[in-house]
Amino acid sequence: MEIYPLTDDVYTFPNPRFACDEGILAYGGDLTPTRLISAYANGIFPWYNSDEPILWWSPNPRLIMELEEFKVSKSLLKVIKSNKFEIKFNTNFKQVMIECKNIYRPKQDGTWLQDELIDAYTTLHNLGYAHSFESYYNGELVGGGYGLSIGDMFCGESMFAKKSDASKVALYYLVQRLKEKGFSLLDCQTPTEHLQSLGAKCISRDDFLDRLSHAIQNFPSFN
C-alpha cells in the first residue's frame, strides 16, 4: 500500500484498514492535539526515530488487554498486598514520559520518544486526554507509564520500571481504575512477551477498529 504524505493543514488520515500488516500508513504532518486525537480516534499512533519524519502506524494484528483478563500471578499478588509501592495517577506526567525515554531497554538502540513527543503528550495531558499511572518507593518515582483515553478505550503508550515489579503494580492499579470508571478496553498496540504474560492478546486490526468505533461513542472520566 502507498504511504501517504500528510500536510500541516489537513487533519484527516487514510483508512487504516487498508494499511499493510506492518502498519505504516502515513508520514509527515505535525503533533498538534487536533491531529493526535484524530489519529487515536482512528486507531493510528505516531512512532518514529529522530532522523525520520513523523511516521503514523496502525499495525495488524493489534495487541489489546481485556480488563477482566489481566493476569495476577501469586508473586505479583504478594507484592500488591505488601503495599511496598504507593500508586498515584496524573501527579508527575511529564517526568513519567522522561523516565520512559531514558530507561534502558535490551536490544533497543536509542529511543523513539523525542522531546517533541514529550511536549505534545504533555499538552494532551493538560487538556485532559493523556494520563499517567505511577509507582513510588520511599517517595521516589520508580515505575509506571502513560497513555490516552479515547472514548472508553485507554491507549497505552509506554512504561518504565526502575525497581522490580514497579510497572506491573502500577499497571494492575490502572486496570482497576479503568474498570471502576467504565472503560472497556486497554490498547497495547504491538505484541510484547511482557504484556502477553499479563493477559494481553492479539486481535485483527479490523476487529480492533470495530471495537474502537464503539469505544469513541462513550465518554467515561478517567479522573
Side-chain angles (χ1 to χ4, degrees):
M1 176 184 169
E2 181 181 355
I3 302 172
Y4 291 90
L6 302 179
T7 60
D8 289 348
D9 57 343
V10 177
Y11 295 98
T12 56
F13 285 87
N15 190 334
R17 294 181 188 271
F18 300 113
C20 63
D21 286 346
E22 183 184 22
I24 187 167
L25 181 68
Y27 67 92
D30 52 36
L31 297 171
T32 59
T34 300
R35 189 179 304 276
L36 284 170
I37 293 168
S38 174
Y40 281 90
N42 285 280
I44 300 163
F45 57 87
W47 186 26
Y48 61 101
N49 295 316
S50 59
D51 59 347
E52 298 173 332
I54 302 172
L55 302 177
W56 301 90
W57 301 77
S58 185
N60 183 39
R62 190 82 166 217
L63 189 70
I64 65 162
M65 176 80 74
E66 303 281 7
L67 301 181
E68 300 297 334
E69 295 180 3
F70 183 84
K71 293 180 180 178
V72 182
S73 66
K74 290 182 179 179
S75 59
L76 178 57
L77 183 60
K78 184 177 180 180
V79 175
I80 292 168
K81 289 184 174 181
S82 74
N83 293 317
K84 67 183 291 185
F85 297 113
E86 180 183 10
I87 305 301
K88 299 180 181 180
F89 297 94
N90 288 334
T91 61
N92 213 344
F93 181 88
K94 188 170 185 178
Q95 189 59 39
V96 167
M97 288 201 69
I98 291 171
E99 297 290 354
C100 288
K101 173 184 177 180
N102 293 335
I103 198 73
Y104 169 74
R105 303 179 194 274
K107 300 180 181 179
Q108 179 174 307
D109 184 18
T111 179
W112 63 272
L113 261 174
Q114 320 303 328
D115 288 342
E116 61 185 357
L117 278 167
I118 294 176
D119 290 342
Y121 284 87
T122 300
T123 298
L124 286 179
H125 170 66
N126 293 334
L127 292 171
Y129 289 97
H131 308 282
S132 57
F133 47 104
E134 309 154 6
S135 285
Y136 292 83
Y137 183 78
N138 292 336
E140 178 188 357
L141 177 64
V142 293
Y146 72 97
L148 279 73
S149 55
I150 300 294
D152 66 19
M153 182 180 293
F154 189 88
C155 303
E157 275 296 313
S158 187
M159 296 194 299
F160 80 98
K162 298 169 70 175
K163 195 170 183 65
S164 181
D165 293 320
S167 65
K168 288 183 183 179
V169 174
L171 181 60
Y172 167 81
Y173 279 101
L174 170 67
V175 169
Q176 304 315 304
R177 189 182 189 93
L178 295 177
K179 288 194 289 187
E180 291 168 4
K181 297 293 185 177
F183 283 76
S184 65
L185 189 68
L186 174 58
D187 171 29
C188 304
Q189 296 184 345
T190 57
T192 68
E193 291 183 6
H194 172 64
L195 289 173
Q196 287 172 303
S197 73
L198 294 172
K201 64 184 180 183
C202 289
I203 63 173
S204 72
R205 178 171 54 213
D206 283 347
D207 286 347
F208 172 79
L209 293 174
D210 289 343
R211 296 281 297 270
L212 177 60
S213 68
H214 292 287
I216 60 176
Q217 298 176 38
N218 305 304
F219 301 95
S221 172
F222 182 89
N223 295 316

